[in-house]
Each structure stands twice: as structure tokens, then as C-alpha cells.
Amino acid sequence: MLEIKKADYLGEYKINLLFNNDKSGQINLKELIFDDQRKTFSTLKVLSAFKNFRVEHGTLIWSDALDLAVEYLFYLAFKDEPDLQEQFKTWGYIA
């Protein structure tokens, strides 16, 4: 089961993630936060709120209102890696 072991804030809306399979990669959530119209994401537009995340239950959590699927975060970190494309298709992140 895929889990995040560690998350480090890098600046802006970027986070470096270390997964339990020892793969480490960066994600940039700015586009997701600013393009998604759901109210839950609107609070994260404030950078001080965005930086207030923690790793819990193997994924990133902001307050008690928002968490993101660890598989989605893994996809964001490694979406350009050719050897992972079949896995991303299985998860439904690419066609």
C-alpha cells in the first residue's frame, strides 16, 4: 500500500514527498488549488494556510477538511516517468 513517509514544504505551492517505496519527488499544487472551484480548495489559496499541512494516515492533510489521495500525489510527482504509465492508467489518471 502506497503511503507518504515525509513531506517538506519547498516554497510557493511546492512540496517534496518521500513515499514508502523510497521514491522521492516534487509536486506543485498551485494549478489544482487555483483552478478547482470547490470551497475546500479556496482556503488553500492563502499561502499560510497551504503551508499548514501534515502527513497523517499516509497522505497529506490540511486541517480536518481536506486530504488528497496518495495515489494522486504519487501521480503528480512522477507523471512523466515512462515506466509508471501503466500504473497511472490502472489508477485512471491517464487514458
Side-chain angles (χ1 to χ4, degrees), residues 4 9-10 13 21 62 65 75 87:
I4 294 171
Y9 177 70
L10 298 174
Y13 294 88
N21 62 1
W62 289 266
Y75 164 72
Q87 182 63 58

Side-chain angles (χ1 to χ4, degrees), residues 62-74:
W62 289 266
S63 71
D64 293 330
L66 177 64
D67 64 278
L68 295 171
V70 68
E71 293 84 5
Y72 180 64
L73 297 171
F74 188 84

Side-chain angles (χ1 to χ4, degrees), residues 48-91:
S48 60
F50 176 81
K51 294 190 308 188
N52 194 23
F53 63 84
R54 66 188 184 280
V55 175
E56 193 171 300
H57 306 296
T59 194
L60 293 181
I61 295 178
W62 289 266
S63 71
D64 293 330
L66 177 64
D67 64 278
L68 295 171
V70 68
E71 293 84 5
Y72 180 64
L73 297 171
F74 188 84
Y75 164 72
L76 290 178
F78 305 107
K79 63 185 172 190
D80 296 325
E81 288 198 15
D83 60 324
L84 294 172
Q85 298 306 300
E86 284 303 315
Q87 182 63 58
F88 297 149
K89 284 180 187 177
T90 302
W91 289 345

Side-chain angles (χ1 to χ4, degrees), residues 9-15 27-31 33-34 41-54 62:
Y9 177 70
L10 298 174
E12 293 280 319
Y13 294 88
K14 298 175 186 170
I15 302 171
I27 59 170
N28 184 343
L29 295 176
K30 186 173 185 175
E31 187 176 309
I33 290 167
F34 283 88
F41 287 103
S42 65
T43 58
L44 297 184
K45 292 177 182 177
V46 177
L47 199 51
S48 60
F50 176 81
K51 294 190 308 188
N52 194 23
F53 63 84
R54 66 188 184 280
W62 289 266

